[in-house]
Amino acid sequence: MQTRIYFGLGLLFLFLVGGLYAAGATERICTPISEQLEQACDYAFAGQIDTAGDLTRQANTQWEKHWHQLAIVADHSPMDEIDGLFAQANMYARMGSATDLSATCARISKLVDAIAEAHSLTWWNLI
């Protein structure tokens, strides 16, 4: 009986540590991507489409690099939407459509932020 209690407590502890690690890793991955996309949004809005396109491609590269790590803990629906929006953003950059690129980068940035927030240690996520 006592062995089962210790096993259960150990298992709960492992889940706690795993959850804390996942929260930190998600934040560490998503924050730089979101910041790059916000910068790309600002550059595109200012008409500097080449710089905005470069920042968008860099953010897309980072997103693809960490996609599998995020997929372990995150819901796949917003991740799939982000993938599609990156494809759109890259096409807008090629076409030179600054307003569309700016709006798409802003949308991707908010979705990436939402993924990080959904896995952060806050009271509303614990309820």
Side-chain angles (χ1 to χ4, degrees), residues 49-123:
I49 196 80
D50 292 334
T51 306
D54 289 342
L55 286 169
T56 303
R57 282 186 288 280
Q58 289 172 11
N60 191 10
T61 300
Q62 288 302 308
W63 175 255
E64 289 175 355
K65 177 181 175 186
H66 297 292
W67 196 94
H68 294 288
Q69 293 168 331
L70 287 172
I72 293 170
V73 294
D75 182 15
H76 288 230
S77 295
M79 293 180 69
D80 292 338
E81 185 176 353
I82 290 169
D83 290 339
L85 287 170
F86 266 123
Q88 269 185 311
N90 288 326
M91 188 54 67
Y92 290 143
R94 285 185 193 165
M95 293 176 5
S97 180
T99 53
D100 290 330
L101 178 59
S102 180
T104 305
C105 285
R107 174 79 176 128
I108 300 169
S109 176
K110 291 300 178 192
L111 285 172
V112 172
D113 280 341
I115 289 175
E117 187 177 317
H119 295 88
S120 64
L121 187 61
T122 55
W123 66 268

